[in-house]
Amino acid sequence: MAARGIPMNNALVIVTETSIIFAALGLSAYASLRRSDVLPLLYLGLSAGLAIAMSIVAELAFIEGIRNVLIITGFTMLGARADEKAMRLAFTLCAAITLVVLLIEVASTEAYASLFRPADYLAKTRGYAIKEFYEDTGLALGTIVYEGRFSFGLFDGPRTSSIFLEQVNINIFAIVLMIYLTSMWDRLSWPERALMLITIFMIVVTNNARMSAIMAPIFILGYFVFPRLPRYANALIPIVLLGITFIVFEFERVRYGDDLIGRIATTYRALTRLSASDLLFGNHDLIARSGDTGYGFVMVSTSIFGALAYWAYLTLIVRPDDVIRRRTIWAMSTYIYIWLLIGGTGSFSMKTAPLLWFLVGYVRVTDFGGKDASARLTRSGRNWRTLTPA
């Protein structure tokens, strides 16, 4: 719309995003509340209370944290009201749209930039100056492929963005598709599997996406391993990751940079600089500067209590009662906790988070009939079986 001359600014984006969030909540309420909504509503209520208390103490509104919780809980509840056909159709359409736009971008960067004008849109909605972007191509600054930057060597153009217009969220989208495949592989048709795999492959090699490339073998192995892991042991992932991080940097020199070690070092530095007040009451001034450190962002935007509530929600939202649920909860937890260690706010993005939580909401209330049945049902994909949510 912006590229076609429609006036665009950050306020319009905020209004649109808010409308989508409350549409999800409204649709859920319209379908009537149910027992499965208790945990999401408890998490939302606790987060709202924390946001109000932190805002009173700081005399500033803590919006970011509650916004993220609204996305998580709203689409968890919406997914709980979807049947399998709706859920699969949502992922199929999103993957197809992303792949089509990506193919246009790969075939002709000039045509893609002319069609969507990413730099112009991001400048108007995020306040970035045009000079921060490719002035000659109109692409985002992050699409630049500089010397020494990780690359598969299969694509020599700018890092791709597709419908997302910037390079980070298309990377996350590939990971969300991997989680979907890890969870639902046995229930998908071969055309669906092929679409997801082709889309993931194209994103990874044209975006030179490090995190999705790292996560792919983890999920392939996890498809077989996740169902065998102890129940609720996914709660230990952040404890192990942060414990190892603090131990390593306690003895090694902290090195910053745009690589895996440098990103982890950024999180380490942010966490070690938090004061007791930051942990207990958050820090509004640090929110905007914590975009490259996920754990730091959660702490300063929701306090230590909000971080613990998020950890509890991720642990309890899906009961690990069958194969599909275990694969889903472990894949989701692995992605989120690792991303919070090396990235920032990307896992809360409106561009990708709703799709992930829509899947989680569907999986948590659906009876897949046990381990054997989940592997048998709809293996051919010709029958879009509708399952009634609990």
Side-chain angles (χ1 to χ4, degrees), residues 2 8 113 116-144:
M8 189 65 56
F116 292 104
R117 300 177 61 86
D120 185 50
Y121 171 80
L122 293 171
K124 290 178 179 178
T125 60
R126 298 189 183 181
Y128 299 152
I130 289 293
K131 66 180 180 180
E132 295 186 32
F133 302 93
Y134 271 138
E135 292 187 356
D136 54 339
T137 64
L139 301 177
L141 178 66
T143 61
I144 296 175

Side-chain angles (χ1 to χ4, degrees), residues 133-195:
F133 302 93
Y134 271 138
E135 292 187 356
D136 54 339
T137 64
L139 301 177
L141 178 66
T143 61
I144 296 175
V145 179
Y146 53 83
E147 185 177 356
R149 211 277 177 193
F150 172 81
S151 174
F152 287 99
L154 300 177
F155 180 69
D156 58 3
R159 297 177 62 198
T160 54
S161 304
S162 186
I163 198 70
F164 303 98
L165 305 188
E166 46 79 31
Q167 76 290 345
V168 174
N169 275 284
I170 189 174
N171 185 4
I172 297 175
F173 180 71
I175 297 174
V176 172
L177 292 186
M178 293 177 194
I179 296 172
Y180 175 63
L181 285 180
T182 303
S183 304
M184 303 296 294
W185 179 266
D186 292 324
R187 304 182 72 85
L188 301 180
S189 66
W190 278 108
E192 289 175 290
R193 295 175 184 176
L195 173 62

